[in-house]
Structures are given as structure tokens and as C-alpha cells.
Amino acid sequence: MGLSGLTLRGIWFLLCACLVWARPVKRAPLEHLQTTRHGDVAFGLGNRTYLANIRYPKAILGGNDRATANRQGSLVPFTVVFADSEVVTAQYLLDVIQGYSGGDDVFSKDFLEGVYIGNNGTSSSQTLDASALQYLNDLSPQHLILDVSFESSCYPTDIEVTYLGGLDDANNLTAGPYAALVSEDSVTFGTVYRLYRDSYRNFLYGAYDSNDGEGTFSPVEIFEPKFWDPMIPVPSRIYSWGDTRPLAGYRVAIKDLFDMKGLITSGGSQAWAEIIEAANETAPSVQRIVDLGGVLVGKYKLAQFASGANPWDWQDEHYPFNPRADGWLTCSASSSGGGCSVAAYDWLDFAIGSDTGSSMRRPAAVSGTYGNRPSQGLMTLSRVMPLGAATDTAGIFSRNVHDWVRFAKNWYVPEMCQDTSTTGLSPLEAPDSYGFPKRVLYLTDYLPLRNPAAEEVLQDFIQNLTTVFGMTVEDFNLTAVVDNTTDEVPKYNALNNATGVINAMTQYRQVGKPLISAWREQYEGRFPPIDPAQRQRWKVYDESLYTDELYNQSLGVKRAAVDWFESEVLYSTAESCSESIMLWDIGTGGLPSYREESLNSDPNTTTFLAVTPPTAGINGASLCPIYGCVDMTIPIGQVPYLSNVTFVEEMIPVTVSVIAKRGCDFMLWNMWEKLADEGVLKTIKTGRTAF
Ligand SMILES: *[C@@H]1O[C@H](CO)[C@@H](O)[C@H](O)[C@H]1NC(C)=O
Ligand SMILES: *[C@@H]1O[C@H](CO)[C@@H](O)[C@H](O)[C@H]1NC(C)=O
Ligand SMILES: *[C@@H]1O[C@H](CO)[C@@H](O)[C@H](O)[C@H]1NC(C)=O
Ligand SMILES: *[C@@H]1O[C@H](CO)[C@@H](O)[C@H](O)[C@H]1NC(C)=O
Ligand SMILES: *[C@@H]1O[C@H](CO)[C@@H](O)[C@H](O)[C@H]1NC(C)=O
Ligand SMILES: *[C@@H]1O[C@H](CO)[C@@H](O)[C@H](O)[C@H]1NC(C)=O
Ligand SMILES: *[C@@H]1O[C@H](CO)[C@@H](O)[C@H](O)[C@H]1NC(C)=O
Ligand SMILES: *[C@@H]1O[C@H](CO)[C@@H](O)[C@H](O)[C@H]1NC(C)=O
Ligand SMILES: *[C@@H]1O[C@H](CO)[C@@H](O)[C@H](O)[C@H]1NC(C)=O
Ligand SMILES: *[C@@H]1O[C@H](CO)[C@@H](O)[C@H](O)[C@H]1NC(C)=O
Ligand SMILES: *[C@@H]1O[C@H](CO)[C@@H](O)[C@H](O)[C@H]1NC(C)=O
């Protein structure tokens, strides 16, 4: 910075002789729509809607009294540009603005109503050359503010130029579009968010960083009655162009199961939302995303209390829409809004969700996105509403392999792992391994896919996978292998029982019981109004049966199964993190599964979700919740079907599920990167078709 940061130079108005009349430039005016409860402002600009954070602005330039400065003046769309050269040319400004238009979905030229040119170089004196002056004259912004380093030249322009110093404050200011309050002696820059309509109704509501210095989030309280959609605030990507943190500027949706400070964590239940307070801290897993530079844009819908409820059993929330195919397919459960929103919106990069029994993997399968259930214990679930503490995990939805891996490698780090007292398992080691597997185990108890066209897509993928990594393929019947073990190894019935205990107890104790008793007290003995999935379970829950001892025993059963699995089935060798990987399908086998129950009644052309094949001893979704392994959903293609909703042919995504030994998550991610580089895996499109 060229000037001493503490020198507040005040403002100098230089009204130079008007030599050239500026051409009038047509810019859409800012249309004030609404001031929120907290003093933030929604406005229209052109055909877009924006939200400006006025309450806690990004930066204030000039002004002696901060307390009063930021509330005065009129709101003006502003563009902030930085220049580091001594002579600033029209070409420089043009390139910068063109870069903004091309690289950001929030900026528009309507923000050029105010222009601030800051100095981010080392020179204490800068000038605008004649071409730059001409350019600015043609632009004729209502306000032109230059850093004091430009002050030494008197410019013959017909626009009023204001010079502002106080560079200590400007340090917070980054390039990009703003909504600014311009007063006599100060300019207050409020962060702007473009408000996107969540037209697939995947979110509960939008949220944004309140910038209060305490890490609090504010909910978007703006509603357009013409549509019934939440409005999701998305900040300019330009703000993070100079930010070197690994997730800088990535926009992330959060399942409403994770705490975000200042927001209610509803778990998809209005009753629960009614009895609890807003979270007073952000979940560590979510805070890590913020610390890495990620931008949280809102809370998305989930099956209530993270259950596996079918679409037609959702009562409290309106079931989210899947953008794929005929728009009437299931989003699955419980991280439904996460997979479907990543499949729907280019303006969203990732969604974070949880998987206890299938809740990342199946929503990824039906939306044709990348999604993972990590190894048990890879991510802390502190301040996340639990289902079964020893079976819960947290995963990431993405459309792009390299982005997904970048996110994962920065998010899942050793200090975020769970303690063995939570998982009940041997310590987790998760090396960033390039020790790839030697064998593909094709699980014959779950495959082939029911739709032969989809099986063809899978076979092509297997061909490509094994070619790239030099692997062999073997048919493998896991049910037979488990059946065939000695008595010491727990079988599926015992494992189903143990998982049932684990999944029932934690949530009942932390959510069900307090909700039921609070409701009973508040509403004359009534049971809370909740969806059917948990109503019966909680109604008949017997505390005398579900003891700490039983929980402990159940963890012991699970532990014995995992130890066997990791020594006999998927194990590490000197050369491979996981000697083999298993392929199966958590999705629909290439058949449509509709959100409307009766449309799924033809068993030959449609399917329900979570159907256990007659040749399998257990639902495939339960394998990794039991064995602690990593299971990822990988989109590999699409197949046609005749829609009973649009009555034309539509394309449905085909995905494959891939299981590796617990701790080999990064081995899989390194494989996906290699397959993406080889062109085998693709970046997924948003909208009706994934490819
Ligand atoms: C919004 O305005 C832009 C620029 O004026 C225009 O290109 C675009 O087509 C408009 N979009 C809609 C949906 O009207
Ligand atoms: C600039 O950032 C610092 C640190 O984040 C903060 O303390 C200060 O209040 C900010 N200034 C403005 C004007 O927002
Ligand atoms: C100054 O900002 C411009 C435009 O944002 C950028 O291209 C340039 O790298 C920055 N220079 C420095 C020294 O930060
Ligand atoms: C958050 O609230 C809980 C009780 O509801 C309290 O125990 C805890 O100390 C609070 N944390 C902070 C950071 O205020
Ligand atoms: C797998 O093994 C189980 C148990 O032995 C058997 O019932 C089933 O038919 C087998 N499935 C296939 C496809 O071979
Ligand atoms: C069952 O176990 C026996 C003896 O350990 C072994 O020979 C056989 O191959 C096993 N069968 C399967 C399907 O794993
Ligand atoms: C599983 O639980 C059921 C019902 O509680 C019980 O009857 C059965 O014996 C259990 N099975 C095993 C293998 O633990
Ligand atoms: C659970 O088991 C562990 C050891 O496996 C033991 O230390 C602990 O006391 C047990 N707790 C209960 C409630 O049985
Ligand atoms: C869906 O359409 C097919 C014809 O393509 C028809 O045979 C079937 O009965 C329809 N199913 C439902 C549930 O409407
Ligand atoms: C499904 O296919 C089977 C075998 O092709 C056929 O026998 C049956 O009638 C079909 N069911 C329906 C509802 O079309
Ligand atoms: C994948 O395999 C198929 C044939 O099995 C081949 O036609 C195709 O080119 C391969 N794709 C890539 C990207 O290697």
C-alpha cells in the first residue's frame, strides 16, 4: 500500500472543467424491495434480485464516526476495481470489467453506477491516462472514487471525482460488486448477494454470513409470493479471487441437521424447531468449511430426523424436486435436498450431508451426482443432530471429480476424525494412498442392474476401470461368504439387530425424548406432530430395554464384524490400501422411481427404493454402516425410459456404488482423479440430463 494506513485524507471534491459531455449510459436503476428486520436490504437491479449486507458492511472508507457513517446516504450499486500499476489505461479497466462479467454470475454492468479504483500496488502515486479518462467519461458513473494515490493529477473530466484514503479500512475491501451507502464524507460498502430462486424447492431457506465478527449467520427473510420458492443468497465469486485458501469462494449447501450459529437446526421438524433455540455455535465440520474459505448459502431439506422416509411420507416439509428426467423422480432420503440441489443449480458447488443408512449415497444415485459415505469416524459429528452415533457419517455431493477431491482432501483431515469411543472401532488411519486395488469384486448378490441398458453402461465402465488400473474382475457373493463364516463372526441377523439398537438410541435420547416431554408439557399431554417414520418408533420406545449395556454389546457385535471384514474380505497389503474394491448399486438399477407412490406400481418398468434383492442376505446400503467401510456413488452414464409423467422418452442417470476398506477413502479419490484425467469420469451437468 502506498500511503500510511492511518492517514485519513478526508475527501476532496475536484470539479474540473467540463470539456467533454459524457455519453449517457443506460443502466438499470436500483429498485429498493425490502429492508430486513436486521437492516439488510433487498433490491432489484435489471431483472435480478440482490441482497446487500448493510448492517455489518464489508468496509467503510472515510468518515470520522463509524457508528453513524454506515447508516447514512443512499444505496448505490458499486464496482470496486484495484490497480497496481502507476498508469491505469482504458484497456486495463476494460479487461477487468470484462473479466468480472465473464467470471461471475453476481456482477452485472448495472453495478457500474459507482466506481471505486483502489491502489493495490506499491506506488504512492498513480495516474489515469487519457484513454482511461475517456473510458470513465463514457461510463459516466454517478460516483467515481479514486484512491488518494491518484490525487496528484487534476483530471479534466466532467464527472465528480472523490479521493478517499484511509487504506487501513480498505484492506477489508476486495474487488467486485457492492451496494454502497454514499454520504458526505464516507462510503460504506455492503457485500452483495444475488438471490436465486430455489425453483426445485430443495432448500428450507437461504442464509448468509452476517459479518458480525462472531461467525453468526442470518437467514434470508425475503419471500416472493408469486413463487413459493426460498431465495438463496450467493455472493460474488470475485470477492474470493485473491483468496488463496483451498475452498475460497466455493458455495456450499448444508443439511439442516448441522448447526450453523444463529440459525435453528430443525432436523426437518417444525415441532423440534419450536422447542429449541438457534444454535449458538457452528458445528466444527461446518466451521472448517468456512475456515477454508467456503461460502455457506443455506439449509437444505432432509427426511425428517434423517430418516429414510419415502417422498409420500413427508408431511412437515414439501418433498424436494429432482431436476433430472421428467422432474418427477425421487430425490431419495435423507439428504434429499443436497443431491438434488447439486444436480439442479450451476450457482451451487457442493452440498454437505450425513449418511447413517444410505442418506448420501442414494440421493447421489438418483440425482446423478458424486456422493460419498466416508469411512466410519472420518469426520466429527459434534453439533450435528445424531441418528446412530456409531453409524453416522458426513459426506459431500459434487458434480466435478477434481473439485470433489480437493474439497475432501482439505476437509477430512486427521484432527477432524472421531474418537474410537464414538465409533467403537480400532483406530482409523486414512492415508492419501496411491496403492490401488488389484481386484474388482462384482457383487452377484446385488448385480446385475435390472435395466439391461444400464448394465451395459456398467460393463463399459468396469472395462475402462480395469484397463486403467490393470485390475481383474471376479464375481463375488458376499452373502454366501458371510453365511459361511465360523460362529464367532456375527451374521446379518445379529448385525441388523446391533445396527437397529445403535440407530435407535442416540437420537431418541438426544431428540425424541426431550421433544416428546416438552410437547406433552406444553400441549396438555399431546404427542408432537411428526412424520410417520419416527412416530411409531418413538411411541413404542422402551427405555428399560435400550440400556447402556445393550448399546455397548451392540458396538461389540459391530466391532467383531469389522475386524473380520478388514482381515478376511477387504484388507490392506503392502501394495494396496484396499486389496480389492466391491461394486454394487445403491440406486434404481436404471429404472425410474417416482415421487408419487402409485407411479411405481409396475414392477417391470419402475422400482421402489431400498429393495433388497431376493439373493442378498441384507440390503446393500447397510454393508458399510455395519463394516465401517467407505462407499461412494459414481455417476457413469444414462439410459432412456418412457416417462409416465411427461409421456416422452427421458434420460435417467446410471451410477455405480464402490466400496473399499475403511480408511481407503483417499485411495478411491485418487482413482477417480485418474479416471477423470483419462476421460472415463465426466463433469456432471445440471438440469434434465446429467451427461
Ligand atoms: C435479464 O437481463 C439480461 C441483460 O439485460 C438479459 O440478457 C437476459 O436475457 C434477461 N433475462 C431474463 C430472464 O429476462
Ligand atoms: C475489517 O476487518 C477487521 C478484521 O476482520 C475488522 O475488525 C474491522 O472491523 C473491519 N473493518 C470494517 C470497516 O468492516
Ligand atoms: C491488484 O488487483 C488486480 C485486479 O484485481 C490484480 O490483477 C493484481 O494481481 C493485484 N495486484 C496485487 C499486487 O495484488
Ligand atoms: C451454547 O448454549 C449452551 C446451552 O444451551 C451452553 O451450554 C453453551 O455454553 C453455549 N455456548 C456458547 C459458546 O455460548
Ligand atoms: C448368494 O449366496 C446366497 C447364500 O448362499 C444364496 O442364497 C444366493 O442365491 C447367492 N446369490 C447368487 C446370485 O448366487
Ligand atoms: C466356505 O468355507 C469353506 C471352508 O472354509 C471354503 O472351502 C469355501 O470355499 C467357503 N465358501 C464360500 C462361498 O466362501
Ligand atoms: C434379533 O432381534 C430379534 C428381536 O429382538 C431376536 O428375536 C433375535 O434373536 C435377534 N437375533 C440375533 C441373531 O441376535
Ligand atoms: C462398555 O464397554 C466398555 C469396554 O468394552 C466398558 O469399559 C464400559 O464400562 C461399558 N459400559 C457399559 C455401560 O456397560
Ligand atoms: C406407465 O406407462 C406404461 C406404458 O408405458 C403403462 O403400461 C403403465 O401401466 C403405466 N404405469 C402407471 C403406474 O401408470
Ligand atoms: C412383467 O414381466 C413379466 C415377464 O416378462 C411378465 O410376465 C409380467 O406380466 C410383467 N408384469 C407387468 C405388470 O407388466
Ligand atoms: C470405455 O470403454 C468403452 C468400451 O468398453 C470404449 O468404447 C470407450 O472409449 C472407453 N471410454 C474411455 C473414456 O476410455
Side-chain angles (χ1 to χ4, degrees):
M1 292 298 164
L3 287 173
S4 151
L6 294 175
T7 320
L8 253 181
R9 298 294 297 270
I11 309 181
W12 303 91
F13 290 88
L14 291 190
L15 293 167
C16 296
C18 302
L19 299 178
V20 192
W21 286 106
R23 248 184 266 142
V25 174
K26 263 192 89 118
R27 272 187 294 270
L30 182 149
E31 181 197 355
H32 181 275
L33 296 177
Q34 188 180 327
T35 301
T36 73
R37 202 154 53 94
H38 299 308
D40 292 340
V41 175
F43 61 92
L45 195 60
N47 53 17
R48 296 174 178 179
T49 307
Y50 292 92
L51 178 69
N53 184 343
I54 301 303
R55 187 186 188 202
Y56 295 109
K58 180 83 166 231
I60 300 170
L61 298 192
N64 296 320
D65 184 356
R66 163 138 311 145
T68 58
N70 64 10
R71 294 300 167 85
Q72 294 168 358
S74 56
L75 201 60
V76 181
F78 239 88
T79 301
V80 170
V81 171
F82 284 97
D84 54 11
S85 60
E86 278 180 41
V87 179
V88 176
T89 63
Q91 196 57 50
Y92 177 80
L93 295 173
L94 257 166
D95 288 348
V96 169
I97 300 303
Q98 215 133 47
Y100 286 9
S101 294
D104 184 35
D105 53 342
V106 177
F107 178 80
S108 83
K109 289 190 173 157
D110 294 329
F111 278 96
L112 292 165
E113 189 66 5
V115 173
Y116 170 76
I117 304 177
N119 176 6
N120 66 343
T122 51
S123 163
S124 61
S125 166
Q126 290 179 293
T127 48
L128 297 167
D129 79 355
S131 70
L133 285 176
Q134 187 62 50
Y135 173 78
L136 289 168
N137 259 323
D138 291 352
L139 204 60
S140 67
Q142 188 191 331
H143 298 275
L144 175 60
I145 301 179
L146 304 179
D147 182 81
V148 283
S149 57
F150 289 93
E151 199 186 352
S152 49
S153 321
C154 177
Y155 300 115
T157 91
D158 57 349
I159 358 168
E160 196 175 275
V161 182
T162 306
Y163 297 95
L164 279 180
L167 289 172
D168 53 337
D169 288 335
N171 275 338
N172 285 359
L173 196 58
T174 51
Y178 288 88
L181 284 170
V182 182
S183 73
E184 281 285 287
D185 67 346
S186 72
V187 186
T188 301
F189 291 94
T191 301
V192 294
Y193 297 85
R194 181 167 174 184
L195 288 172
Y196 278 105
R197 276 179 56 200
D198 169 24
S199 50
Y200 293 97
R201 279 177 261 162
N202 294 151
F203 286 81
L204 287 166
Y205 57 91
Y208 58 104
D209 176 6
S210 78
N211 197 35
D212 66 352
E214 318 234 307
T216 309
F217 293 88
S218 298
V220 171
E221 297 164 329
I222 293 150
F223 183 69
E224 280 193 81
K226 178 177 174 185
F227 313 109
W228 307 338
D229 318 329
M231 303 291 279
I232 308 302
V234 166
S236 170
R237 292 200 188 270
I238 302 166
Y239 296 154
S240 51
W241 283 356
D243 188 340
T244 54
R245 290 176 296 170
L247 303 186
Y250 279 130
R251 298 156 178 176
V252 186
I254 305 291
K255 186 176 188 174
D256 197 15
L257 204 66
F258 293 71
D259 279 357
M260 284 170 65
K261 185 175 179 179
L263 307 179
I264 302 253
T265 305
S266 74
S269 165
Q270 276 286 295
W272 179 250
E274 184 177 324
I275 69 154
I276 58 152
E277 302 287 323
N280 61 1
E281 260 177 74
T282 295
S285 51
V286 175
Q287 186 59 46
R288 179 161 181 85
I289 298 169
V290 174
D291 295 343
L292 291 169
V295 175
L296 313 183
V297 301
K299 289 287 196 83
Y300 72 75
K301 288 179 183 171
L302 67 157
Q304 194 178 75
F305 303 120
S307 76
N310 279 311
W312 44 90
D313 286 328
W314 289 42
Q315 300 297 328
D316 236 0
E317 300 160 281
H318 190 248
Y319 193 73
F321 286 90
N322 189 334
R324 301 304 186 199
D326 53 27
W328 219 252
L329 299 177
T330 179
C331 290
S332 180
S334 69
S335 307
S336 329
C340 278
S341 59
V342 167
Y345 305 126
D346 280 324
W347 47 260
L348 182 68
D349 300 308
F350 298 102
I352 293 303
S354 63
D355 184 317
T356 302
S358 67
S359 293
M360 282 296 307
R361 295 163 289 160
R362 196 169 277 134
V366 297
S367 62
T369 52
Y370 295 94
N372 66 305
R373 175 193 173 90
S375 295
Q376 195 71 54
L378 199 59
M379 175 54 66
T380 170
L381 290 161
S382 167
R383 292 191 164 268
V384 181
M385 182 188 283
L387 187 47
T391 44
D392 292 343
T393 63
I396 312 154
F397 294 105
S398 176
R399 293 184 300 271
N400 175 284
V401 171
H402 289 290
D403 288 348
W404 193 36
V405 177
R406 179 189 183 84
F407 194 113
K409 287 192 174 179
N410 285 285
W411 194 45
Y412 296 112
V413 289
E415 61 265 35
M416 300 305 287
C417 284
Q418 287 180 309
D419 195 82
T420 52
S421 63
T422 300
T423 62
L425 304 179
S426 61
L428 172 65
E429 279 171 43
D432 188 0
S433 172
Y434 289 81
F436 295 131
K438 303 293 180 199
R439 291 187 298 152
V440 168
L441 307 180
Y442 178 94
L443 295 191
T444 54
D445 27 0
Y446 302 98
L447 295 172
L449 301 175
R450 284 188 50 208
N451 180 341
E455 178 63 19
E456 228 171 276
V457 172
L458 175 59
Q459 288 301 331
D460 279 353
F461 171 75
I462 293 173
Q463 175 80 50
N464 292 350
L465 171 75
T466 50
T467 303
V468 169
F469 293 104
M471 290 189 284
T472 58
V473 186
E474 290 171 30
D475 285 353
F476 195 82
N477 184 341
L478 183 59
T479 302
V481 172
V482 173
D483 278 352
N484 198 34
T485 51
T486 57
D487 288 347
E488 292 85 68
V489 180
K491 307 294 185 290
Y492 285 144
N493 279 342
L495 290 164
N496 265 333
N497 282 6
T499 308
V501 169
I502 293 167
N503 290 353
M505 285 183 64
T506 320
Q507 188 175 75
Y508 181 81
R509 287 178 172 187
Q510 293 187 28
V511 183
K513 188 177 178 183
L515 174 58
I516 291 165
S517 66
W519 211 265
R520 187 188 298 129
E521 203 163 299
Q522 210 166 324
Y523 294 102
E524 293 141 345
R526 289 181 168 80
F527 195 82
I530 59 173
D531 286 0
Q534 302 302 51
R535 188 191 303 133
Q536 275 315 309
R537 281 183 211 149
W538 288 356
K539 184 73 186 61
V540 302
Y541 188 93
D542 182 349
E543 286 186 81
S544 67
L545 193 70
Y546 286 109
T547 59
D548 287 344
E549 210 186 340
L550 180 63
Y551 189 86
N552 233 13
Q553 269 173 20
S554 303
L555 278 189
V557 171
K558 182 171 150 73
R559 169 71 185 259
V562 172
D563 288 348
W564 166 77
F565 191 80
E566 293 180 357
S567 66
E568 301 296 327
V569 185
L570 294 182
Y571 44 85
S572 298
T573 65
E575 288 179 333
S576 306
C577 183
S578 187
E579 182 274 335
S580 49
I581 52 175
M582 294 176 169
L583 301 191
W584 72 289
D585 173 42
I586 202 171
T588 63
L591 299 176
S593 186
Y594 292 100
R595 59 185 289 131
E596 201 179 305
E597 185 172 16
S598 63
L599 289 176
N600 298 320
S601 57
D602 180 343
N604 289 347
T605 58
T606 67
T607 183
F608 287 95
L609 294 182
V611 180
T612 304
T615 55
I618 198 170
N619 195 290
S622 301
L623 294 173
C624 284
I626 287 171
Y627 293 117
C629 38
V630 42
D631 188 356
M632 300 196 187
T633 300
I634 305 297
I636 53 175
Q638 58 190 3
V639 289
Y641 73 98
L642 182 60
S643 167
N644 269 357
V645 174
T646 58
F647 304 107
V648 299
E649 189 176 278
E650 304 280 5
M651 298 301 276
I652 192 170
V654 177
T655 61
V656 61
S657 297
V658 186
I659 294 177
K661 178 183 174 258
R662 181 171 62 114
C664 297
D665 305 59
F666 298 109
M667 176 201 78
L668 286 183
W669 271 311
N670 290 331
M671 290 175 73
W672 309 144
E673 288 216 287
K674 175 105 174 105
L675 289 182
D677 291 341
E678 298 280 339
V680 176
L681 293 182
K682 305 282 195 315
T683 295
I684 299 309
K685 291 195 300 182
T686 57
R688 204 180 282 287
T689 57
F691 292 91

